[in-house]
Amino acid sequence: TFGGDSTVYHITNETSSKGKTRSSEEWVNMNNVYINGRDTWYKADLEKLTGHSYADLTDAIMNNHLITNPSSDLIKAYKLKRNKNTYTLTAKTIDKALMKKTAEPIFDTTPQSTGQAKVFKQMQKFGKYKSMTVKAVVKNNKLATFNIFVNMKLGKMMTVKVGQSYGNFGSHDFLKVPTNATNAKNLPTTDNKKKK
């Protein structure tokens, strides 16, 4: 979720494996990232920690081509349902080029560390794009929600699902980084150099 001036991002990452789900929470305000680690908040410079900047994150979210300039293939794939003043557009596609173009900015701006970014690059390189679903809900001639999910397969056993969910368009419920996060400790760094 995002909102405010300057834009504040609240990001929840979830990883599911063998029926267990782990999640982590972070807030991003300008180039500061606040990460909740085991009920303790830590603060770090977003670009130094992750390799991507606040501007990269803002661009990936605000300039989503699926919303602002959808391809003719996606437009053709949409199916429309209407209920009074609510229109729901849903699409499922297996267009690999479109899936890759959609997943790239998500992979580039989601990592919480440079190590995780390397893992995501490997996923992009070796993963097989299987399908993508898109759902847009328009109420009273305004976009209300927009969801994108790209499904990939890694090897024989692992599946990956990346996506973005948009909501509360046009609302004035602006986000603010909570005080318990802004009072965070600096994220500890480790020195891996061996002392001689």
Side-chain angles (χ1 to χ4, degrees):
T1 52
F2 58 93
D5 183 23
S6 62
T7 303
V8 171
Y9 299 94
H10 182 224
I11 301 166
T12 304
N13 294 296
E14 286 189 359
T15 306
S16 296
S17 177
K18 297 179 183 177
K20 292 182 180 177
T21 300
R22 289 184 177 167
S23 61
S24 63
E25 177 186 16
E26 66 185 81
W27 290 85
V28 178
N29 183 11
M30 295 308 289
N31 220 38
N32 295 313
V33 60
Y34 305 90
I35 302 169
N36 191 348
R38 296 185 185 161
D39 298 322
T40 301
W41 284 96
Y42 296 99
K43 176 183 175 181
D45 180 285
L46 178 67
E47 192 162 4
K48 286 180 184 171
L49 179 68
T50 65
H52 62 267
S53 68
Y54 175 83
D56 296 331
L57 179 62
T58 301
D59 183 65
I61 292 172
M62 301 300 191
N63 298 319
N64 188 312
H65 64 92
L66 295 179
I67 298 173
T68 58
N69 188 22
S71 69
S72 58
D73 290 335
L74 179 58
I75 292 169
K76 287 176 192 169
Y78 274 130
K79 291 185 169 55
L80 175 68
K81 284 187 181 176
R82 180 182 175 196
N83 182 4
K84 297 181 184 173
N85 289 330
T86 301
Y87 297 85
T88 304
L89 293 159
T90 53
K92 186 169 183 176
T93 182
I94 54 170
D95 182 320
K96 291 193 178 7
L98 183 58
M99 287 188 277
K100 186 176 180 183
K101 188 177 178 185
T102 300
E104 195 169 89
I106 299 169
F107 274 124
D108 289 348
T109 57
T110 302
Q112 294 177 304
S113 68
T114 51
Q116 195 177 52
K118 288 176 187 172
V119 171
F120 284 2
K121 287 289 179 201
Q122 295 290 72
M123 286 180 183
Q124 286 176 276
K125 186 175 180 180
F126 298 110
K128 292 190 174 151
Y129 291 94
K130 297 311 244 175
S131 66
M132 179 172 82
T133 56
V134 183
K135 181 178 179 182
V137 177
V138 177
K139 291 183 180 177
N140 300 316
N141 298 321
K142 291 182 180 175
L143 187 60
T145 61
F146 190 84
N147 300 305
I148 319 146
F149 292 102
V150 177
N151 298 295
M152 300 172 70
K153 189 156 183 155
L154 278 169
K156 293 180 180 178
M157 304 293 288
M158 192 172 175
T159 59
V160 175
K161 182 179 186 179
V162 297
Q164 289 179 325
S165 296
Y166 296 78
N168 297 323
F169 286 101
S171 83
H172 295 286
D173 182 17
F174 289 154
L175 295 181
K176 289 185 179 176
V177 179
T179 306
N180 61 342
T182 55
N183 290 334
K185 303 173 182 179
N186 286 330
L187 187 67
T189 56
T190 57
D191 186 1
N192 293 325
K193 294 177 185 174
K194 291 182 181 177
K195 293 181 179 178
K196 292 183 179 180

